[in-house]
Amino acid sequence: MKTFDTLALDPILMKSLEHMKYNEPTPIQAQAIPLALEGRDIMGSAQTGTGKTAAFAIPLIQKLLSTPHGSALVLTPTRELGKQIMDIMHQLLGSKNPAKCPINTAFIIGGEPMGKQFAQLRRNPRLIVGTPGRINDHLERGTLKLKDTQFLVLDETDRMLDMGFSVQLDRIAEHLPTQRQTLMFSATLPKNIIKLSAKYLNNPERVSVGSTTSPVKNIKQDVLRVNDNTKYSELVRELGEREGSIIIFVKTKHGTERLAKRLNGEGFKSDAIHGDLKQGRRNRVIQNFRQQEYRILVATDVVARGLDIPHIEHVINYDLPQVPEDYIHRIGRTARAGAEGSALCLVTPQDQRKWQAIDFLMNPEDKPKFAGQGRDSKNRRGQGGAKGRRPFSKGKKPFSKREDGASKEGHKHYAKDKKPFVKREDGDSKEDTGSFSKRKKPFSNGKKPFSKNGKASPSKDNNSFSKGKKSFYGQKKKKMAA
Ligand code: AMP
């Protein structure tokens, strides 16, 4: 499928696609849309920024427009992602203004006034986009009925499970008819997702674009070795060298506000976002960033997934993520829809273990080396150095503090079949995805690395963090000694 013309879509959809300048389907759309239009269930995995939303939104809307009966439900983990999905749905329905759309819609997310949602639900919406908690709230109150749901989408399913929504999903499923079409998307496909798909999907088609454990190709990734004293000044220097919009990820909610304030003091127009902000404030922060009213967004992992702001050119990991997979999600905020982007990690000596976990995720086939041959060799398998620490060993349970003060069993997620619960920054519990059990191929983008000011590309061919390490580590040592 090379164009949308061959799909016999409703004229409303065709006009919207033209208006949105969606001239050709993206690979995930080319795979998923024809199958979904045939009525098949789909288990889809795609890299971030690949056009996944329209891959389910186009067949969903086609279905709603082709018959006056039935409704559709889209479940999404976060409010921000929900809002993006709702916006795309309205655009595909012909107007950004919901009142002008040919189908009534309801946006049912937590943190928003109930009254507004009651009013939307009274209008018998045929398309509902929402987060599991609030959807259940309405189901329990009887203000929402799902018995006519013919089309169900579970988006970012791994994230929903990470956030502890598995019970909520089961409760929602009790209200859904068994005769329905279900599309499930997940960035990663660990065992618990496969299990869930067996529960919710009927003989699904698998569609997949790219490796689910690798970021999009056109992101230039760099690492900068720092220490606690130099970290902030290095960040400021890096910001000074960059143009365009930047998202900086930090570990704690408080840290986002503190850093944004400090950067504003330096003349870098910044704002902060985290899970403790009221929804109205969160919306405004995102909206202002989207409209480029300020250049730098300092964020926790609350926006690590799904946020689609095409002008983000750089992602800076001021603090490394607690969970290695979040690295991929974080850097996926740049290089959207084929654009180019850059990602930089500031790594302190204390971050070594987290850094190795990310490195290991990106380069699962990188064999451990003997002491002195590679930067991670001494820590990886207890060979020399690092006092025999074995951060990848299954039995170890180092603790690291979460931003909400809860402690996390660090790296326990490497242990197959174990499912520890850890607190997320948004206060929800996290079920281990176990996604390390089946690692996919390392990413490859065939780009040349660059190295300046002590920065180094993760590898010679920019594909891996492992190759070309020696020179990189030599440079860092000099830097840290300086
Ligand atoms: P998503 O992965 O759904 O977040 O989409 C990433 C970006 O790709 C969004 O900015 C979409 O508007 C854009 N996009 C999705 N499908 C297409 C298409 N067929 N042609 C051009 N842009 C697209």
Side-chain angles (χ1 to χ4, degrees):
M1 165 188 156
K2 290 222 158 46
T3 66
F4 291 106
D5 299 341
T6 51
L7 295 171
L9 296 173
D10 190 284
I12 293 178
L13 263 175
M14 287 308 288
K15 206 168 146 202
S16 304
L17 289 170
E18 195 185 328
H19 192 245
M20 292 162 80
K21 301 197 169 47
Y22 284 15
N23 303 325
E24 287 172 20
T26 65
I28 189 77
Q29 291 164 6
Q31 286 188 49
I33 296 173
L35 290 167
L37 290 174
E38 279 172 27
R40 297 295 309 267
D41 279 8
I42 289 178
M43 173 73 243
S45 49
Q47 291 171 298
T48 53
T50 52
K52 182 165 55 82
T53 314
F56 62 76
I58 292 170
L60 179 153
I61 288 174
Q62 173 64 23
K63 190 146 189 164
L64 292 179
L65 291 174
S66 64
T67 150
H69 310 291
S71 60
L73 171 68
V74 181
L75 293 171
T76 164
T78 65
R79 304 158 192 179
E80 280 75 17
L81 193 52
K83 174 134 187 25
Q84 275 176 198
I85 295 171
M86 196 79 257
D87 287 347
I88 294 273
M89 293 288 184
H90 286 145
Q91 285 180 53
L92 287 170
L93 281 166
S95 173
K96 283 185 179 167
N97 179 356
K100 293 190 177 158
C101 289
I103 280 169
N104 285 342
T105 61
F107 187 39
I108 308 295
I109 55 164
E112 291 233 318
M114 277 300 222
K116 198 170 144 194
Q117 296 179 1
F118 290 146
Q120 289 178 15
L121 290 171
R122 273 197 297 272
R123 289 201 304 267
N124 296 324
R126 294 187 63 212
L127 168 58
I128 296 156
V129 176
T131 47
R134 186 57 73 91
I135 294 279
N136 264 314
D137 201 339
H138 282 283
L139 286 171
E140 278 160 26
R141 287 166 189 261
T143 43
L144 169 63
K145 301 264 189 288
L146 293 177
K147 61 178 176 16
D148 289 332
T149 308
Q150 291 184 349
F151 202 103
L152 171 70
V153 178
L154 298 160
D155 191 30
E156 301 268 0
T157 311
D158 51 346
R159 173 77 162 143
M160 285 202 271
L161 295 194
D162 277 358
M163 292 172 71
F165 283 143
S166 143
V167 175
Q168 304 265 23
L169 293 179
D170 283 347
R171 276 197 207 135
I172 294 169
E174 285 168 21
H175 293 261
L176 294 166
T178 44
Q179 278 287 358
R180 58 161 202 265
Q181 185 178 3
T182 306
L183 272 52
M184 186 164 161
F185 288 88
S186 185
T188 53
L189 293 176
K191 271 191 208 151
N192 56 350
I193 297 289
I194 303 293
K195 223 165 116 187
L196 199 79
S197 74
K199 194 152 94 183
Y200 288 137
L201 304 176
N202 175 21
N203 189 22
E205 282 282 347
R206 270 279 288 122
V207 302
S208 162
V209 174
S211 163
T212 55
T213 55
S214 63
V216 288
K217 287 178 183 171
N218 35 350
I219 303 175
K220 190 171 60 180
Q221 298 173 65
D222 290 299
V223 187
L224 184 58
R225 290 277 169 169
V226 295
N227 62 42
D228 285 339
N229 295 332
T230 59
K231 196 174 179 183
Y232 178 73
S233 55
E234 290 288 359
L235 172 72
V236 169
R237 194 177 56 76
E238 288 293 332
L239 293 177
E241 286 180 3
R242 284 167 158 71
E243 285 180 1
S245 297
I246 303 172
I247 185 161
I248 303 176
F249 283 103
V250 302
K251 190 167 55 186
T252 68
K253 294 169 184 173
H254 184 58
T256 59
E257 302 208 0
R258 208 173 37 211
L259 187 59
K261 199 169 162 198
R262 242 178 130 181
L263 291 176
N264 276 312
E266 307 267 356
F268 293 107
K269 222 173 161 201
S270 318
D271 208 344
I273 190 160
H274 56 77
D276 270 2
L277 296 181
K278 290 226 167 70
Q279 190 55 38
R281 170 100 185 110
R282 272 162 76 164
N283 292 347
R284 272 196 307 282
V285 170
I286 296 286
Q287 182 68 3
N288 291 342
F289 188 50
R290 209 180 275 286
Q291 290 172 352
Q292 294 177 273
E293 285 180 22
Y294 61 93
R295 193 161 79 90
I296 300 171
L297 179 65
V298 188
T300 59
D301 280 314
V302 74
V303 295
R305 288 219 191 191
L307 188 70
D308 179 36
I309 299 183
H311 59 75
I312 297 176
E313 289 185 35
H314 312 275
V315 173
I316 298 182
N317 291 295
Y318 188 68
D319 296 323
L320 294 185
Q322 299 285 3
V323 181
E325 284 98 337
D326 282 350
Y327 173 78
I328 295 170
H329 298 304
R330 282 180 174 191
I331 72 172
R333 295 316 99 223
T334 184
R336 309 286 294 172
E340 301 234 320
S342 88
L344 175 70
C345 277
L346 302 190
V347 179
T348 65
Q350 296 91 310
D351 289 331
Q352 183 59 16
R353 189 179 300 212
K354 280 188 201 157
W355 173 243
Q356 282 178 322
I358 293 169
D359 187 0
F360 202 70
L361 174 68
M362 308 301 279
N363 301 286
E365 288 161 9
D366 179 27
K367 298 273 184 302
K369 296 176 184 69
F370 292 99
Q373 284 193 335
R375 68 189 147 98
D376 295 332
S377 58
K378 60 186 176 195
N379 278 349
R380 246 192 199 173
R381 298 286 187 270
Q383 292 157 338
K387 298 196 177 72
R389 259 189 290 139
R390 295 163 63 101
F392 292 102
S393 72
K394 289 179 184 176
K396 293 252 167 181
K397 295 170 189 176
F399 281 80
S400 59
K401 275 293 218 187
R402 304 293 297 202
E403 76 157 285
D404 51 11
S407 59
K408 175 187 178 296
E409 289 192 342
H411 305 294
K412 196 176 167 186
H413 46 272
Y414 280 100
K416 287 180 191 162
D417 305 326
K418 296 229 169 125
K419 295 187 176 180
F421 281 81
V422 293
K423 290 288 273 182
R424 303 292 299 192
E425 78 85 19
D426 41 17
D428 291 307
S429 61
K430 174 189 182 304
E431 191 181 6
D432 188 353
T433 59
S435 57
F436 276 72
S437 53
K438 277 199 187 124
R439 292 195 192 87
K440 294 263 168 85
K441 280 215 161 273
F443 66 99
S444 156
N445 63 9
K447 289 213 160 194
K448 287 267 177 280
F450 78 100
S451 170
K452 60 171 184 174
N453 303 328
K455 280 184 298 180
S457 165
S459 78
K460 269 192 187 142
D461 58 4
N462 212 15
N463 291 345
S464 123
F465 288 101
S466 54
K467 295 175 200 158
K469 287 169 194 164
K470 264 194 187 161
S471 58
F472 160 48
Y473 273 76
Q475 284 176 30
K476 296 304 159 198
K477 252 188 212 150
K478 259 190 255 156
K479 192 171 189 72
M480 287 171 75

